[in-house]
């Protein structure tokens, strides 16, 4: 179950498997396990999740991984989302440093979120799901769940984070459900997010500092048993999505196309669908979605999509 991947400068790939292994795959498709990565809770939606390279990877070698961390308290397993950075030498994960651990831990095994993206200033943005506890976490600022976070590359806190002086200083935006897509808009420098709604109401959001994105106060979806979560899909003080899907497609990874190898797609957005197992092209006019097109169908659950440094589009299914 490949979850995240990152293309190295030599065009080899690092690929995370949700079961807990990190692979190095060379251009001849030889696969090598990188030993020494953190132990993960590979249960439910948890496991070894996203991976990204430091913007200056060629100079410093830092690799960033998110995963479902676990502990045992009073005989019960509790889990959370954590992020480590490390380096790879001789096919080993070394110099490992934990730079984030979401609090509090929960007894649930889903909605870890966990996509990673660097912005143009070198800050690391990442998502943490609300762990299936929508009435507790996403609207409260005393926890890390149901949020988008921003940190410096070493885990320290940017002084201009909106809640930098609070008990949860990494929080950048809140009111998120389970964001599994996060990418940099190379034109504007903004961070874009895809977010799993409930039954209906998957969203695309542009992440803004200190903003409330509404879950579960407002939603375009209903609960899985058909009951109403909220009668409102917009409200003053809550940021509306720039686009939402009805029915849900279960969006995950996303990427902007900038490569000349795909002239008809250039400047537009690709999003993977877990539910319907296809890659979707979203035609954009500025920040507005003006059209949709299925690019690859019936290929499996498209967990991630990215444009590699070689200019080609890669999908993880």
């Amino acid at each position: 179950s490949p979850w995240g991947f990152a293309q190295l400068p030599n065009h080899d790939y690092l690929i995370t498997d949700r079961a807990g292994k990190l692979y190095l795959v060379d251009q001849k498709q030889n696969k090598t396990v990188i030993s020494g990565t953190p132990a993960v809770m590979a249960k439910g939606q948890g496991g070894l999740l996203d991976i990204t390279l430091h913007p200056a990877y060629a100079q410093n070698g830092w690799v960033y991984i998110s995963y479902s961390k676990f502990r045992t308290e009073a005989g019960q397993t509790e889990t959370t989302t954590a992020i480590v950075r490390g380096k790879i030498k001789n096919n080993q994960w070394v110099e490992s440093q934990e730079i984030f651990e979401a609090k509090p831990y929960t007894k649930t095994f889903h909605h870890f979120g966990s996509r990673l993206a660097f912005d143009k200033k070198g800050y690391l943005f990442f998502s943490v799901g609300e762990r299936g506890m929508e009435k507790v976490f996403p609207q409260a600022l005393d926890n890390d769940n149901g949020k988008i976070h921003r940190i410096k590359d070493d885990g320290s806190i940017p002084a201009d984070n909106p809640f930098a002086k609070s008990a949860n200083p990494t929080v950048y935006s809140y009111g998120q459900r389970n964001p599994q897509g996060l990418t940099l808009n190379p034109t504007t420098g903004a961070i874009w997010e895809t977010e799993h709604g409930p039954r209906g109401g998957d969203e695309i959001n542009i992440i803004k500092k200190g903003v409330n994105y509404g879950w579960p106060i407002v939603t375009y979806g209903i609960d899985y048993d058909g009951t109403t979560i909220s009668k409102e899909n917009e409200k003053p003080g809550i940021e509306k999505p720039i686009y939402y899907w009805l029915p849900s497609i279960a969006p995950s990874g996303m990427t902007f196309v900038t490569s000349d190898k795909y002239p008809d797609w250039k400047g537009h957005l690709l999003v993977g669908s877990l539910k319907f197992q296809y890659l979707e092209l979203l035609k954009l006019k500025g920040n507005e979605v003006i059209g949709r097109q299925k690019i690859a169908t019936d290929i499996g659950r498209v967990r991630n999509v990215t444009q590699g440094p070689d200019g080609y589009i890669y999908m993880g299914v």
Side-chain angles (χ1 to χ4, degrees), residues 5-314:
F5 48 86
Q7 192 176 48
L8 298 170
N10 66 357
H11 296 174
D12 290 350
Y13 257 93
L14 293 171
I15 302 175
T16 57
D17 189 308
R18 195 168 58 83
K21 291 183 178 180
L22 174 61
Y23 293 100
L24 174 66
V25 181
D26 66 23
Q27 295 174 69
K28 296 181 179 179
Q29 299 181 11
N30 297 309
K31 185 169 64 174
T32 302
V33 175
I34 303 300
S35 63
T37 54
V40 307
M41 175 54 68
K43 180 179 178 180
Q45 296 174 359
L48 189 59
L49 302 173
D50 206 17
I51 185 168
T52 194
L53 306 180
H54 192 284
Y57 170 83
Q59 289 74 46
N60 61 35
W62 286 117
V63 179
Y64 294 75
I65 294 175
S66 62
Y67 69 104
S68 54
K69 187 177 180 181
F70 64 97
R71 69 185 184 188
T72 300
E73 291 287 331
Q76 290 189 309
T77 299
E78 298 180 337
T79 62
T80 194
T81 300
I83 298 173
V84 296
R85 72 172 183 171
K87 299 180 181 181
I88 297 172
K89 297 180 180 179
N90 300 320
N91 296 327
Q92 292 183 318
W93 180 259
V94 298
E95 299 182 39
S96 188
Q97 302 172 0
E98 182 176 277
I99 60 173
F100 177 81
E101 179 189 52
K103 299 290 183 64
Y105 280 66
T106 75
K107 296 181 177 67
T108 58
F109 295 92
H110 59 292
H111 291 192
F112 290 93
S114 214
R115 196 64 69 182
L116 307 168
F118 277 97
D119 72 358
K120 288 186 175 182
K121 296 180 180 179
Y123 293 129
L124 179 63
F125 285 75
F126 54 92
S127 62
V128 178
E130 34 80 301
R131 309 307 316 287
M133 302 177 70
E134 68 271 10
K135 295 180 180 179
V136 179
F137 291 141
Q139 287 297 316
L141 292 171
D142 61 353
N143 69 89
D144 294 319
N145 300 317
K147 315 289 192 300
I148 302 296
H149 299 260
R150 183 179 75 156
I151 57 176
K152 295 182 180 180
D153 62 351
D154 62 356
S156 57
I157 312 302
D160 63 340
N161 268 13
F163 309 104
K165 296 182 180 180
S166 74
N168 300 83
T170 61
V171 172
Y172 195 78
S173 69
Y174 63 104
Q176 270 88 18
R177 185 173 182 268
N178 188 30
Q180 288 193 345
L182 208 62
T183 195
L184 171 71
N185 183 321
T187 301
T188 66
I191 296 292
W192 286 40
E193 171 238 44
T194 58
E195 183 168 330
H196 289 273
R199 193 171 135 193
D202 295 340
E203 298 178 357
I204 297 177
N205 292 297
I206 299 175
I207 300 305
K208 299 177 182 179
K209 181 178 179 179
V211 167
N212 182 356
Y213 287 83
W215 176 252
I217 297 173
V218 299
T219 178
Y220 291 89
I222 58 176
D223 213 339
Y224 295 106
D225 61 5
T227 58
T228 298
I229 297 171
S230 172
K231 294 181 180 180
E232 299 179 280
N233 52 36
E234 58 181 271
K235 194 172 184 178
I238 291 177
E239 187 76 7
K240 293 175 62 176
I242 67 164
Y243 187 78
Y244 64 92
W245 286 271
L246 286 175
S248 294
I249 68 165
S252 191
M254 62 192 301
T255 194
F256 284 90
V257 182
T258 60
S259 172
D260 291 331
K261 298 183 185 298
Y262 308 92
D264 293 339
W265 304 355
K266 193 171 182 179
H268 302 295
L269 187 67
L270 292 171
V271 178
S273 166
L274 296 170
K275 182 176 181 180
F276 295 120
Q277 303 186 10
Y278 67 81
L279 182 67
E280 180 166 305
L281 174 68
L282 293 168
K283 291 279 190 174
L284 301 175
K285 184 178 181 180
N287 293 335
E288 181 184 1
V289 175
I290 59 173
R292 298 171 60 186
Q293 181 181 346
K294 293 181 181 179
I295 297 300
T297 60
D298 300 321
I299 58 173
R301 289 166 60 83
V302 183
R303 173 65 64 185
N304 198 11
V305 56
T306 187
Q307 179 182 292
D310 60 5
Y312 286 103
I313 299 297
Y314 293 83

